[in-house]
Amino acid sequence: MTRDFNELALTYHRWPTPGKLAITPTKPMANQRDLALAYSPGVAAACEAIVADPAQAAEVTARQNLVAVVSNGTAVLGLGDIGPLASKPVMEGKAVLFKKFAGIDVFDIELNEKDPDKLVEIVKALEPTFGAINLEDIRAPECFEVERRCRESMSIPVFHDDQHGTAIVVAAAVRNGLTIAGKKAKDVKVVSTGGGAAGIACLDLLVEMGVKRENVWLVDRDGLVYEGRQIGMNGFKDAYAQATDLRTLDDVMPGADVFLGLSGPNVLTPEHVKGMAESPLILALANPTPEIMPDVAKEARPDAIIATGRSDFPNQVNNVLCFPFIFRGALDVGATQINEAMKLACVEAIARLTQAEPSDVVASAYGGEKLRFGPDYILPKPFDPRLILEIAPAVARAAMDTGVATRPIEDFRAYRERLAQYVFRSGLVMKPVFERAQAHPKRIVYAEGEDERVLRAARTVVDEGMAKPILIGRRDVIAERCKQMGLRLDLDEEVEVVEIIRDIRYHSYSDAYHRLMRRRGVSPDYARTIVRSRNTVFAALMVQRGEADGMICGSTGRYASHLQYIVDVLGVQPGVNTIAAMNLLILQKGTYFLTDTYVNPDPTADQLSEITLLAAEEVRRFGIEPKAALLSHSNFGSHDDASAAKMRRAVEAVWHRAPDLEVEGEMHSDAALSAIIRERIFPGSRLSGEANLLVMPNQDAANIAFNMLKVLGDGLNIGPILLGVAQPAHIVTPSVTVRGLVNMTALTVVDAQLHTPAPVVPPRPSAPPPTLDPAE
């Protein structure tokens, strides 16, 4: 990792609050009665209910949605035995993944104990507190023993994710890889270089799937595991000892159908790959450098199917495909364990999802990638929103079928609908956008290239490989600010710096701007002044002339002025009459889109209908199906004043123009966000569940609601997202953060990927050019 990245990571962990977790009450405590209900004397009723029936703990406490992530820090990531205290950031990170992907609460517990017997006793003593235990980063072979003994003596699931999470995803990859290769598990030869916890668990699960134990060849740092070997052996490796005179990886690789690497970099050579069977499956899972790089393996064997542990290659084997969702299903049925049937159900669900037709939502989120079952797609994307909807029910059913569920689910359709809430409350909506941007980077010009936030964002953008930044500003000022900030930014190689007055394009750009604006009172001299003094105009001209793919401006100056310049130069999309701005707000409760926050002070009903359609199209780009609510002080006809009537007409216009869009109104915001409230006052509405696209009656309402929710809900803002402009351009606000600029860069890159040149349509109606304002 670079020094800059390390510093960024430390800052992330330190500010604004140390660490990544906090405890938040789930009930109101606004008055004395609330406190009496929450603690003394009301809490006694909950205690007595559990005494009478221990199963009531799942009803009156948080236990059934609470998991312990337990580690002693003896095998942490690639860091080894760093101890329990140093492992805490990793365990907090695991807790965040549980919460983000599956809504599961976690206490991370780091134990200063290496004795397996004592570890077992400590973990067993935790049972009254938790609905399940996730063992993490405990070294082999102790981890096998600790898990086995805890599972045998505890009545809640105990799951060592390093073993079984990896095994489940590997098994799904092998199942799909063999399907593509036209092979059966019982016939294949498997060679593995994973003698640790994950490697053994993978082999055990592959045998459960039908691979014959005699066809498994295990190689570790001491060579082949064979009968009679004494060095580096344990009971778990003994199960895969072969009666053979062969001793090395070179000896056993010829004819292998599957290579499973959980070892170290460059263990597998091109010669090994050339000697494998037809259509070999190679899982090179060492991180960050795999046992063989995919391009090297493909060169040796073009028919190879390859998976790694890295996100920058196809077929990433990532435990996050599994562990949040297998725990979700186990917790929801009160499972007493996670058994082999539940693991296999998870394998089948992952494999089945990969082979399914890609949904519109996923295809939109990962636009530009071929998400169709084949050699480069044998596993779902880690951020596929369908994972929880497929895996958790499959695991829950398996738990019920095998008799380990204490609270069976009666209505699986209703259960799937409840699970869908986690998809939209994850706060991870930007991840697919980042991946799309990284797949096909574009040239993005920043109008305020001297701004320190822009410079830091440019560094991140370069590191993430999502764009080639173009900075408009004075080169000496940019260089000096980078020096003062200690920012490593090569102004010749990594970014392009544009100094307008010294740029050879200045005169041609001035002429181009004059041609665009001459019938709106702009003289040649005034055009030169505007182009020289208004970075936003120069940036827009770069995009308009194809010398940049997209632009970002607005970190200084007034939004309206930037907007007018952009519309003057870039125009609006064909068929669009109304430009608008939308903000994405990620709150603890969920992810919401609000519009129109910055452009139209008091839109008409027709404008609101067009804004709704533009916003809905943008929402789909995030892989989210829009559920639009047109908000008002009126609730389904409760008022007949002009504002209420306008929203009513707007809804009717949207119904007419987009009958398949899920949209309802005019309505109060609480009815939009609560299906229970809405059903009570307006049964049978056209909106199901919670609305995620909130369309406001005017700019005042939109901007006030957005800023209030952002502060009170401690929300993460992404935007404003400009809708309706003919070419990729976004205007941020002066309060934008570095993180906000990076997010907007990713969005602009994706816009540029999707953009196809079209005739620029001038804005309607034409507005006079803004006057020069020194305050901007």
Side-chain angles (χ1 to χ4, degrees), residues 275-313:
M276 294 180 73
E278 182 182 354
S279 299
L281 176 60
I282 299 171
L283 293 93
L285 307 183
N287 253 327
T289 306
E291 285 78 2
I292 188 170
M293 294 299 290
D295 56 334
V296 176
K298 276 288 188 183
E299 184 177 354
R301 286 294 296 273
D303 61 337
I305 302 168
I306 306 166
T308 70
R310 292 173 43 154
S311 61
D312 53 344
F313 294 111

mmCIF file of all heavy atoms in Angstrom, residues 275-313:
data_model
loop_
_atom_site.group_PDB
_atom_site.id
_atom_site.type_symbol
_atom_site.label_atom_id
_atom_site.label_comp_id
_atom_site.label_asym_id
_atom_site.label_seq_id
_atom_site.Cartn_x
_atom_site.Cartn_y
_atom_site.Cartn_z
ATOM 1 N N GLY A 275 0.062 -28.783 -18.619
ATOM 2 C CA GLY A 275 -0.106 -30.214 -18.418
ATOM 3 C C GLY A 275 -1.436 -30.622 -17.829
ATOM 4 O O GLY A 275 -1.693 -31.816 -17.637
ATOM 5 N N MET A 276 -2.316 -29.659 -17.553
ATOM 6 C CA MET A 276 -3.611 -29.979 -16.963
ATOM 7 C C MET A 276 -4.549 -30.552 -18.015
ATOM 8 O O MET A 276 -4.281 -30.517 -19.220
ATOM 9 C CB MET A 276 -4.226 -28.727 -16.320
ATOM 10 C CG MET A 276 -3.449 -28.204 -15.119
ATOM 11 S SD MET A 276 -4.186 -26.719 -14.375
ATOM 12 C CE MET A 276 -5.635 -27.432 -13.568
ATOM 13 N N ALA A 277 -5.670 -31.088 -17.544
ATOM 14 C CA ALA A 277 -6.647 -31.707 -18.432
ATOM 15 C C ALA A 277 -7.340 -30.649 -19.291
ATOM 16 O O ALA A 277 -7.158 -29.437 -19.103
ATOM 17 C CB ALA A 277 -7.673 -32.479 -17.613
ATOM 18 N N GLU A 278 -8.166 -31.091 -20.205
ATOM 19 C CA GLU A 278 -8.905 -30.192 -21.078
ATOM 20 C C GLU A 278 -9.822 -29.284 -20.264
ATOM 21 O O GLU A 278 -10.423 -29.702 -19.272
ATOM 22 C CB GLU A 278 -9.736 -31.008 -22.072
ATOM 23 C CG GLU A 278 -10.524 -30.179 -23.062
ATOM 24 C CD GLU A 278 -11.364 -31.038 -23.985
ATOM 25 O OE1 GLU A 278 -11.235 -32.279 -23.907
ATOM 26 O OE2 GLU A 278 -12.133 -30.475 -24.771
ATOM 27 N N SER A 279 -9.937 -28.023 -20.664
ATOM 28 C CA SER A 279 -10.766 -27.017 -19.987
ATOM 29 C C SER A 279 -10.512 -27.024 -18.479
ATOM 30 O O SER A 279 -11.422 -27.228 -17.670
ATOM 31 C CB SER A 279 -12.251 -27.254 -20.272
ATOM 32 O OG SER A 279 -12.521 -27.167 -21.647
ATOM 33 N N PRO A 280 -9.284 -26.767 -18.072
ATOM 34 C CA PRO A 280 -8.974 -26.829 -16.637
ATOM 35 C C PRO A 280 -9.603 -25.670 -15.874
ATOM 36 O O PRO A 280 -9.788 -24.571 -16.404
ATOM 37 C CB PRO A 280 -7.453 -26.740 -16.610
ATOM 38 C CG PRO A 280 -7.100 -25.951 -17.835
ATOM 39 C CD PRO A 280 -8.112 -26.371 -18.872
ATOM 40 N N LEU A 281 -9.925 -25.937 -14.624
ATOM 41 C CA LEU A 281 -10.457 -24.921 -13.723
ATOM 42 C C LEU A 281 -9.354 -24.552 -12.732
ATOM 43 O O LEU A 281 -8.870 -25.411 -11.999
ATOM 44 C CB LEU A 281 -11.690 -25.447 -12.989
ATOM 45 C CG LEU A 281 -12.314 -24.542 -11.926
ATOM 46 C CD1 LEU A 281 -12.765 -23.223 -12.533
ATOM 47 C CD2 LEU A 281 -13.487 -25.243 -11.253
ATOM 48 N N ILE A 282 -8.971 -23.281 -12.723
ATOM 49 C CA ILE A 282 -7.873 -22.812 -11.884
ATOM 50 C C ILE A 282 -8.415 -21.790 -10.900
ATOM 51 O O ILE A 282 -8.899 -20.723 -11.302
ATOM 52 C CB ILE A 282 -6.751 -22.190 -12.732
ATOM 53 C CG1 ILE A 282 -6.177 -23.234 -13.695
ATOM 54 C CG2 ILE A 282 -5.649 -21.608 -11.853
ATOM 55 C CD1 ILE A 282 -5.219 -22.657 -14.723
ATOM 56 N N LEU A 283 -8.345 -22.102 -9.617
ATOM 57 C CA LEU A 283 -8.743 -21.167 -8.574
ATOM 58 C C LEU A 283 -7.475 -20.747 -7.844
ATOM 59 O O LEU A 283 -6.981 -21.472 -6.961
ATOM 60 C CB LEU A 283 -9.755 -21.794 -7.615
ATOM 61 C CG LEU A 283 -11.127 -22.110 -8.225
ATOM 62 C CD1 LEU A 283 -11.164 -23.545 -8.736
ATOM 63 C CD2 LEU A 283 -12.237 -21.905 -7.218
ATOM 64 N N ALA A 284 -6.919 -19.618 -8.240
ATOM 65 C CA ALA A 284 -5.666 -19.110 -7.679
ATOM 66 C C ALA A 284 -6.019 -18.006 -6.691
ATOM 67 O O ALA A 284 -6.175 -16.848 -7.069
ATOM 68 C CB ALA A 284 -4.767 -18.590 -8.795
ATOM 69 N N LEU A 285 -6.146 -18.361 -5.411
ATOM 70 C CA LEU A 285 -6.814 -17.490 -4.453
ATOM 71 C C LEU A 285 -5.881 -16.771 -3.494
ATOM 72 O O LEU A 285 -6.356 -16.082 -2.581
ATOM 73 C CB LEU A 285 -7.850 -18.307 -3.657
ATOM 74 C CG LEU A 285 -8.864 -19.091 -4.504
ATOM 75 C CD1 LEU A 285 -9.871 -19.784 -3.618
ATOM 76 C CD2 LEU A 285 -9.554 -18.175 -5.495
ATOM 77 N N ALA A 286 -4.574 -16.936 -3.644
ATOM 78 C CA ALA A 286 -3.652 -16.178 -2.792
ATOM 79 C C ALA A 286 -3.818 -14.686 -3.077
ATOM 80 O O ALA A 286 -4.009 -14.271 -4.210
ATOM 81 C CB ALA A 286 -2.214 -16.621 -3.055
ATOM 82 N N ASN A 287 -3.741 -13.872 -2.022
ATOM 83 C CA ASN A 287 -3.891 -12.421 -2.149
ATOM 84 C C ASN A 287 -2.703 -11.712 -1.520
ATOM 85 O O ASN A 287 -2.204 -12.154 -0.492
ATOM 86 C CB ASN A 287 -5.183 -11.964 -1.460
ATOM 87 C CG ASN A 287 -6.256 -11.569 -2.450
ATOM 88 O OD1 ASN A 287 -5.961 -11.053 -3.512
ATOM 89 N ND2 ASN A 287 -7.505 -11.810 -2.093
ATOM 90 N N PRO A 288 -2.233 -10.630 -2.098
ATOM 91 C CA PRO A 288 -2.757 -9.969 -3.306
ATOM 92 C C PRO A 288 -2.243 -10.574 -4.611
ATOM 93 O O PRO A 288 -2.777 -10.290 -5.666
ATOM 94 C CB PRO A 288 -2.264 -8.531 -3.153
ATOM 95 C CG PRO A 288 -0.975 -8.666 -2.414
ATOM 96 C CD PRO A 288 -1.170 -9.803 -1.448
ATOM 97 N N THR A 289 -1.182 -11.383 -4.517
ATOM 98 C CA THR A 289 -0.628 -11.986 -5.730
ATOM 99 C C THR A 289 -1.022 -13.449 -5.786
ATOM 100 O O THR A 289 -0.639 -14.238 -4.914
ATOM 101 C CB THR A 289 0.918 -11.875 -5.750
ATOM 102 O OG1 THR A 289 1.287 -10.503 -5.573
ATOM 103 C CG2 THR A 289 1.471 -12.390 -7.067
ATOM 104 N N PRO A 290 -1.807 -13.849 -6.767
ATOM 105 C CA PRO A 290 -2.280 -15.238 -6.825
ATOM 106 C C PRO A 290 -1.181 -16.224 -7.203
ATOM 107 O O PRO A 290 -0.069 -15.838 -7.561
ATOM 108 C CB PRO A 290 -3.372 -15.182 -7.894
ATOM 109 C CG PRO A 290 -3.033 -13.997 -8.729
ATOM 110 C CD PRO A 290 -2.360 -13.009 -7.836
ATOM 111 N N GLU A 291 -1.515 -17.509 -7.110
ATOM 112 C CA GLU A 291 -0.565 -18.565 -7.443
ATOM 113 C C GLU A 291 -0.100 -18.478 -8.894
ATOM 114 O O GLU A 291 1.017 -18.881 -9.223
ATOM 115 C CB GLU A 291 -1.193 -19.930 -7.180
ATOM 116 C CG GLU A 291 -1.292 -20.335 -5.720
ATOM 117 C CD GLU A 291 -2.436 -19.679 -4.976
ATOM 118 O OE1 GLU A 291 -3.217 -18.904 -5.611
ATOM 119 O OE2 GLU A 291 -2.577 -19.917 -3.763
ATOM 120 N N ILE A 292 -0.961 -17.947 -9.753
ATOM 121 C CA ILE A 292 -0.583 -17.622 -11.128
ATOM 122 C C ILE A 292 -1.489 -16.493 -11.584
ATOM 123 O O ILE A 292 -2.682 -16.468 -11.258
ATOM 124 C CB ILE A 292 -0.702 -18.857 -12.060
ATOM 125 C CG1 ILE A 292 -0.123 -18.545 -13.449
ATOM 126 C CG2 ILE A 292 -2.143 -19.338 -12.174
ATOM 127 C CD1 ILE A 292 0.020 -19.776 -14.338
ATOM 128 N N MET A 293 -0.940 -15.541 -12.304
ATOM 129 C CA MET A 293 -1.755 -14.435 -12.787
ATOM 130 C C MET A 293 -2.658 -14.921 -13.916
ATOM 131 O O MET A 293 -2.253 -15.746 -14.744
ATOM 132 C CB MET A 293 -0.876 -13.295 -13.292
ATOM 133 C CG MET A 293 -0.054 -12.634 -12.184
ATOM 134 S SD MET A 293 -1.061 -11.891 -10.873
ATOM 135 C CE MET A 293 -1.777 -10.498 -11.745
ATOM 136 N N PRO A 294 -3.895 -14.432 -13.972
ATOM 137 C CA PRO A 294 -4.833 -14.923 -14.982
ATOM 138 C C PRO A 294 -4.335 -14.802 -16.416
ATOM 139 O O PRO A 294 -4.558 -15.706 -17.230
ATOM 140 C CB PRO A 294 -6.074 -14.052 -14.743
ATOM 141 C CG PRO A 294 -6.005 -13.702 -13.298
ATOM 142 C CD PRO A 294 -4.547 -13.533 -13.004
ATOM 143 N N ASP A 295 -3.660 -13.694 -16.741
ATOM 144 C CA ASP A 295 -3.198 -13.547 -18.115
ATOM 145 C C ASP A 295 -2.116 -14.572 -18.457
ATOM 146 O O ASP A 295 -2.050 -15.074 -19.588
ATOM 147 C CB ASP A 295 -2.696 -12.132 -18.355
ATOM 148 C CG ASP A 295 -1.595 -11.718 -17.377
ATOM 149 O OD1 ASP A 295 -1.552 -12.272 -16.264
ATOM 150 O OD2 ASP A 295 -0.778 -10.842 -17.736
ATOM 151 N N VAL A 296 -1.290 -14.906 -17.467
ATOM 152 C CA VAL A 296 -0.252 -15.920 -17.688
ATOM 153 C C VAL A 296 -0.888 -17.288 -17.892
ATOM 154 O O VAL A 296 -0.502 -18.047 -18.789
ATOM 155 C CB VAL A 296 0.730 -15.944 -16.502
ATOM 156 C CG1 VAL A 296 1.762 -17.059 -16.676
ATOM 157 C CG2 VAL A 296 1.429 -14.596 -16.358
ATOM 158 N N ALA A 297 -1.880 -17.604 -17.058
ATOM 159 C CA ALA A 297 -2.563 -18.899 -17.194
ATOM 160 C C ALA A 297 -3.297 -18.987 -18.527
ATOM 161 O O ALA A 297 -3.269 -20.038 -19.191
ATOM 162 C CB ALA A 297 -3.542 -19.084 -16.034
ATOM 163 N N LYS A 298 -3.940 -17.902 -18.947
ATOM 164 C CA LYS A 298 -4.673 -17.903 -20.214
ATOM 165 C C LYS A 298 -3.730 -18.057 -21.413
ATOM 166 O O LYS A 298 -4.081 -18.708 -22.407
ATOM 167 C CB LYS A 298 -5.482 -16.608 -20.352
ATOM 168 C CG LYS A 298 -6.829 -16.634 -19.670
ATOM 169 C CD LYS A 298 -7.814 -17.516 -20.416
ATOM 170 C CE LYS A 298 -9.207 -17.389 -19.865
ATOM 171 N NZ LYS A 298 -10.151 -18.324 -20.565
ATOM 172 N N GLU A 299 -2.563 -17.462 -21.302
ATOM 173 C CA GLU A 299 -1.602 -17.602 -22.387
ATOM 174 C C GLU A 299 -1.151 -19.047 -22.519
ATOM 175 O O GLU A 299 -0.979 -19.566 -23.629
ATOM 176 C CB GLU A 299 -0.403 -16.694 -22.141
ATOM 177 C CG GLU A 299 0.602 -16.697 -23.282
ATOM 178 C CD GLU A 299 1.751 -15.742 -23.059
ATOM 179 O OE1 GLU A 299 1.706 -14.982 -22.057
ATOM 180 O OE2 GLU A 299 2.696 -15.745 -23.865
ATOM 181 N N ALA A 300 -0.980 -19.707 -21.363
ATOM 182 C CA ALA A 300 -0.560 -21.105 -21.395
ATOM 183 C C ALA A 300 -1.688 -22.016 -21.845
ATOM 184 O O ALA A 300 -1.465 -22.988 -22.586
ATOM 185 C CB ALA A 300 -0.060 -21.529 -20.008
ATOM 186 N N ARG A 301 -2.928 -21.706 -21.387
ATOM 187 C CA ARG A 301 -4.074 -22.531 -21.737
ATOM 188 C C ARG A 301 -5.278 -21.648 -22.004
ATOM 189 O O ARG A 301 -6.008 -21.277 -21.076
ATOM 190 C CB ARG A 301 -4.385 -23.505 -20.594
ATOM 191 C CG ARG A 301 -3.409 -24.654 -20.466
ATOM 192 C CD ARG A 301 -3.470 -25.598 -21.680
ATOM 193 N NE ARG A 301 -4.759 -26.238 -21.788
ATOM 194 C CZ ARG A 301 -5.061 -27.376 -21.153
ATOM 195 N NH1 ARG A 301 -4.172 -27.985 -20.397
ATOM 196 N NH2 ARG A 301 -6.247 -27.924 -21.314
ATOM 197 N N PRO A 302 -5.520 -21.290 -23.244
ATOM 198 C CA PRO A 302 -6.666 -20.422 -23.562
ATOM 199 C C PRO A 302 -8.006 -21.002 -23.142
ATOM 200 O O PRO A 302 -8.982 -20.251 -22.999
ATOM 201 C CB PRO A 302 -6.574 -20.280 -25.089
ATOM 202 C CG PRO A 302 -5.137 -20.543 -25.417
ATOM 203 C CD PRO A 302 -4.695 -21.574 -24.422
ATOM 204 N N ASP A 303 -8.075 -22.337 -22.957
ATOM 205 C CA ASP A 303 -9.349 -22.948 -22.566
ATOM 206 C C ASP A 303 -9.551 -22.979 -21.055
ATOM 207 O O ASP A 303 -10.546 -23.528 -20.565
ATOM 208 C CB ASP A 303 -9.444 -24.370 -23.130
ATOM 209 C CG ASP A 303 -8.342 -25.293 -22.606
ATOM 210 O OD1 ASP A 303 -7.277 -24.776 -22.185
ATOM 211 O OD2 ASP A 303 -8.538 -26.519 -22.610
ATOM 212 N N ALA A 304 -8.631 -22.387 -20.298
ATOM 213 C CA ALA A 304 -8.742 -22.427 -18.836
ATOM 214 C C ALA A 304 -9.854 -21.512 -18.339
ATOM 215 O O ALA A 304 -10.115 -20.445 -18.910
ATOM 216 C CB ALA A 304 -7.413 -22.034 -18.200
ATOM 217 N N ILE A 305 -10.494 -21.931 -17.264
ATOM 218 C CA ILE A 305 -11.473 -21.119 -16.535
ATOM 219 C C ILE A 305 -10.788 -20.717 -15.232
ATOM 220 O O ILE A 305 -10.341 -21.581 -14.475
ATOM 221 C CB ILE A 305 -12.757 -21.910 -16.257
ATOM 222 C CG1 ILE A 305 -13.374 -22.399 -17.575
ATOM 223 C CG2 ILE A 305 -13.753 -21.067 -15.470
ATOM 224 C CD1 ILE A 305 -14.477 -23.414 -17.385
ATOM 225 N N ILE A 306 -10.702 -19.418 -14.981
ATOM 226 C CA ILE A 306 -9.831 -18.929 -13.911
ATOM 227 C C ILE A 306 -10.615 -18.065 -12.934
ATOM 228 O O ILE A 306 -11.397 -17.193 -13.334
ATOM 229 C CB ILE A 306 -8.659 -18.118 -14.494
ATOM 230 C CG1 ILE A 306 -7.914 -18.954 -15.546
ATOM 231 C CG2 ILE A 306 -7.698 -17.680 -13.396
ATOM 232 C CD1 ILE A 306 -6.969 -18.154 -16.399
ATOM 233 N N ALA A 307 -10.378 -18.305 -11.641
ATOM 234 C CA ALA A 307 -10.923 -17.458 -10.577
ATOM 235 C C ALA A 307 -9.775 -17.045 -9.666
ATOM 236 O O ALA A 307 -8.797 -17.779 -9.507
ATOM 237 C CB ALA A 307 -11.986 -18.207 -9.781
ATOM 238 N N THR A 308 -9.896 -15.863 -9.079
ATOM 239 C CA THR A 308 -8.911 -15.376 -8.114
ATOM 240 C C THR A 308 -9.650 -14.789 -6.918
ATOM 241 O O THR A 308 -10.884 -14.761 -6.885
ATOM 242 C CB THR A 308 -8.000 -14.288 -8.719
ATOM 243 O OG1 THR A 308 -8.770 -13.094 -8.913
ATOM 244 C CG2 THR A 308 -7.392 -14.738 -10.040
ATOM 245 N N GLY A 309 -8.878 -14.287 -5.956
ATOM 246 C CA GLY A 309 -9.485 -13.589 -4.828
ATOM 247 C C GLY A 309 -9.541 -12.093 -5.033
ATOM 248 O O GLY A 309 -9.926 -11.366 -4.119
ATOM 249 N N ARG A 310 -9.189 -11.627 -6.222
ATOM 250 C CA ARG A 310 -9.083 -10.192 -6.487
ATOM 251 C C ARG A 310 -10.298 -9.663 -7.232
ATOM 252 O O ARG A 310 -10.872 -10.350 -8.074
ATOM 253 C CB ARG A 310 -7.812 -9.903 -7.286
ATOM 254 C CG ARG A 310 -6.563 -10.153 -6.483
ATOM 255 C CD ARG A 310 -5.278 -10.055 -7.269
ATOM 256 N NE ARG A 310 -5.204 -8.936 -8.193
ATOM 257 C CZ ARG A 310 -4.065 -8.376 -8.580
ATOM 258 N NH1 ARG A 310 -2.912 -8.808 -8.089
ATOM 259 N NH2 ARG A 310 -4.057 -7.390 -9.448
ATOM 260 N N SER A 311 -10.636 -8.403 -6.938
ATOM 261 C CA SER A 311 -11.810 -7.795 -7.554
ATOM 262 C C SER A 311 -11.522 -7.245 -8.946
ATOM 263 O O SER A 311 -12.449 -6.889 -9.670
ATOM 264 C CB SER A 311 -12.340 -6.666 -6.663
ATOM 265 O OG SER A 311 -11.359 -5.653 -6.502
ATOM 266 N N ASP A 312 -10.248 -7.159 -9.329
ATOM 267 C CA ASP A 312 -9.914 -6.582 -10.630
ATOM 268 C C ASP A 312 -9.796 -7.629 -11.725
ATOM 269 O O ASP A 312 -9.352 -7.329 -12.830
ATOM 270 C CB ASP A 312 -8.624 -5.764 -10.536
ATOM 271 C CG ASP A 312 -7.452 -6.531 -9.935
ATOM 272 O OD1 ASP A 312 -7.684 -7.585 -9.316
ATOM 273 O OD2 ASP A 312 -6.310 -6.066 -10.068
ATOM 274 N N PHE A 313 -10.168 -8.869 -11.430
ATOM 275 C CA PHE A 313 -10.237 -9.930 -12.426
ATOM 276 C C PHE A 313 -11.624 -10.558 -12.359
ATOM 277 O O PHE A 313 -12.308 -10.484 -11.331
ATOM 278 C CB PHE A 313 -9.175 -11.004 -12.173
ATOM 279 C CG PHE A 313 -7.757 -10.536 -12.352
ATOM 280 C CD1 PHE A 313 -6.907 -10.420 -11.269
ATOM 281 C CD2 PHE A 313 -7.271 -10.209 -13.608
ATOM 282 C CE1 PHE A 313 -5.604 -9.979 -11.422
ATOM 283 C CE2 PHE A 313 -5.964 -9.774 -13.777
ATOM 284 C CZ PHE A 313 -5.130 -9.658 -12.682
#
